[in-house]
Amino acid sequence: MPHAASPPAVLAPDEVARQLAVFERGADELLVAAEIAKKLARGTPLRIKLGLDPTAPDIHLGHTVVLNKMRQMQDLGHQVIFLIGDFTSMIGDPSGRNDMRPPLTREEIEVNARTYHAQASKVLDPARTEIRYNSEWSEPLGAAGMIKLAARYTVARMLEREDFARRFASHTPIAIHELLYPLMQGYDSVALKADLELGGTDQKFNLLVGRELQRDYGQEPQCILTMPLLEGLDGVDKMSKSKRNYVGITESPQSMFGKLMSISDVLMWRYYELLSFRSLAEIAALKRQCDDGLNPREAKVQLAQEIVARFHSPADAARALAEFEARFRDGAIPDDMPEVSVTGGAAGLPIAQIAKQAGLVESTSEALRLIAGRGLKVDGAVVADKQLVLAAGTTVIVQAGKRRFARVTVR
């Protein structure tokens, strides 16, 4: 006669508190803390879901804020589910948008989904990650199933969403298929029987829909954990490929290192909080050292090396630092310099105009003369091309002559 399976060990209150502290580090909101504590106390690994729509071919550091949190939960023994929204990508997530997002083709989605799978494995442990695609259960719904699902939610409740309400009030079109997106994301939680779902702060409404649909389907409702949206290199807009203010996790070590060194000293601490694997106590100690006289550049170097080593190797991080310092050594780059923003168009801004707007030269003619004489540099590299254009969202150190420097962000 087979033995009955042993019941899961109930977690002690101090272990529940420890795991909750891991969940909440750097988080924006945990709903509902008492419910997730009750789930943890049962001692059964939680089913923790994160969905990403493959709308671009690469994952950047902004995506890794939630992926890092998933990895921490994975290391606590929970079952994490990396959900690739190949079906929902065809609808297009309207979250935070003032207009309709054009849906992707099936071919674009398939290419991007393969990339997401590979790149997410740089953060999550592939052997312990459940990879799912929401077309598995969304496509079989068919027209009849979609109508039945839509009957579970009202238009009035959809219009409680801030972006929908704003567009409705301003008479900006809202297509019917956009109203389906939160429902389909919520149905993912039903299909996966999720205990907890993660997402950015802009996803809160969608995550709550999942919680409500689970209750409607007779399941215990999931809890939700929202993570802050990481600011891009400009320190203003959220990190985004479309804003060109991102660091891709497959970029070269040199590119990754240089971009991270270009962020402001204030933004650096935000990156430490959301991207570093150091403990909060270590980060606080490092910040005190900077307050007591340590050059913030040294703290930024440590952050850049940690990130490069994570996605490449410690040897790559060391080489990236050596190459970065070699580029700047001859120019004697000062630690303190003006931080300015310059305004360009959608196509960016020519380097001569950047130098003028930044106050480094009196005129674009002077900038062009400096380029001809190899006297204008960007991030320590001599500018040889008079037609060089820097994209919006780029932050660089521009040097004119021997003594004029500015950290410039192109808007």
Side-chain angles (χ1 to χ4, degrees):
M1 185 173 180
H3 293 288
S6 300
V10 176
L11 288 190
D14 58 342
E15 176 59 18
V16 170
R18 185 183 77 86
Q19 293 201 22
L20 278 175
V22 174
F23 283 24
E24 292 180 321
R25 171 181 167 171
D28 182 77
E29 193 172 15
L30 175 60
L31 297 173
V32 178
E35 290 183 16
I36 198 67
K38 183 178 178 181
K39 290 174 185 278
L40 286 170
R42 294 171 186 157
T44 303
L46 302 184
R47 288 181 60 77
I48 300 174
K49 164 198 170 193
L50 169 66
L52 287 180
D53 285 351
T55 54
D58 294 299
I59 290 176
H60 55 61
L61 289 182
H63 296 124
T64 70
V65 173
V66 286
L67 287 173
N68 289 343
K69 182 60 64 179
M70 290 277 278
R71 177 57 188 260
Q72 292 168 7
M73 294 172 170
Q74 198 171 46
D75 291 342
L76 290 172
H78 299 293
Q79 177 61 58
V80 304
I81 307 163
F82 182 62
L83 176 65
I84 298 174
D86 58 333
F87 185 89
T88 42
S89 291
M90 293 190 293
I91 301 175
D93 185 4
S95 296
R97 293 182 64 85
N98 295 322
D99 53 12
M100 284 185 284
R101 182 189 297 274
L104 299 179
T105 66
R106 168 60 69 179
E107 291 73 21
E108 290 172 324
I109 291 168
E110 289 177 352
V111 170
N112 293 349
R114 287 194 294 271
T115 305
Y116 270 37
H117 185 173
Q119 293 183 4
S121 297
K122 290 178 174 289
V123 180
L124 302 174
D125 180 350
R128 296 184 292 154
T129 302
E130 185 178 333
I131 303 285
R132 302 293 291 272
Y133 294 80
N134 61 12
S135 60
E136 294 176 33
W137 47 84
S138 298
E139 288 183 349
L141 272 177
M146 196 77 76
I147 291 171
K148 290 178 181 177
L149 177 61
R152 295 175 181 269
Y153 226 77
T154 67
V155 172
R157 293 182 73 185
M158 281 295 176
L159 290 179
E160 292 174 2
R161 245 179 76 147
E162 184 180 350
D163 43 15
F164 284 156
R166 185 170 56 247
R167 287 164 62 184
F168 185 76
S170 64
H171 304 289
T172 302
I174 303 172
I176 296 296
H177 78 280
E178 294 184 274
L179 301 179
L180 293 176
Y181 188 94
L183 282 176
M184 298 312 301
Q185 181 173 330
Y187 188 66
D188 292 342
S189 295
V190 174
L192 292 170
K193 296 181 172 59
D195 293 306
L196 174 69
E197 182 172 11
L198 275 64
T201 52
D202 59 343
Q203 291 290 312
K204 182 176 177 179
F205 183 93
N206 294 350
L207 305 183
L208 286 170
V209 172
R211 179 177 165 86
E212 292 166 18
L213 281 180
Q214 282 182 306
R215 186 183 287 113
D216 201 39
Y217 275 90
Q219 295 181 10
E220 182 178 79
Q222 68 182 14
C223 296
I224 67 175
L225 182 74
T226 57
M227 297 297 294
L229 301 177
L230 181 70
E231 295 86 350
L233 300 173
D234 55 7
V236 178
D237 296 312
K238 75 172 185 177
M239 186 172 286
S240 165
K241 293 204 74 174
S242 62
K243 298 285 187 182
R244 300 187 181 184
N245 63 355
Y246 69 99
V247 181
I249 67 171
T250 58
E251 289 187 35
S252 71
Q254 292 74 20
S255 173
M256 190 177 285
F257 192 94
K259 284 185 175 183
L260 289 168
M261 290 299 295
S262 75
I263 64 177
S264 70
D265 294 345
V266 173
L267 186 60
M268 168 182 67
W269 297 113
R270 175 75 163 172
Y271 277 40
Y272 259 114
E273 178 186 10
L274 296 179
L275 298 176
S276 176
F277 287 170
R278 292 188 177 207
S279 69
L280 293 177
E282 288 179 290
I283 295 171
L286 186 59
K287 195 169 186 178
R288 284 194 298 272
Q289 290 177 39
C290 290
D291 292 340
D292 292 339
L294 177 69
N295 190 329
R297 181 181 182 279
E298 297 304 315
K300 201 175 299 180
V301 165
Q302 292 180 40
L303 174 67
Q305 285 201 289
E306 177 185 349
I307 301 300
V308 173
R310 182 183 311 162
F311 294 107
H312 293 281
S313 71
D316 286 326
R319 281 192 291 271
L321 172 59
E323 291 181 23
F324 182 85
E325 291 183 334
R327 288 209 320 268
F328 281 74
R329 191 177 298 119
D330 295 338
I333 304 295
D335 295 323
D336 296 317
M337 67 184 74
E339 296 194 15
V340 298
S341 295
V342 297
T343 304
L349 192 64
I351 186 61
Q353 293 183 34
I354 289 173
K356 182 179 183 297
Q357 284 194 37
L360 295 170
V361 295
E362 293 293 330
S363 64
T364 55
S365 297
E366 181 185 351
L368 293 172
R369 287 195 296 272
L370 278 171
I371 293 172
R374 299 178 60 80
L376 192 68
K377 297 180 180 181
V378 173
D379 281 347
V382 172
V383 176
D385 180 7
K386 293 182 180 181
Q387 306 302 317
L388 174 66
V389 174
L390 298 186
T394 302
T395 299
V396 293
I397 294 174
V398 181
Q399 176 183 353
K402 293 184 177 181
R403 297 182 177 82
R404 287 168 287 171
F405 299 87
R407 181 178 283 107
V408 182
T409 298
V410 182
R411 303 293 187 198

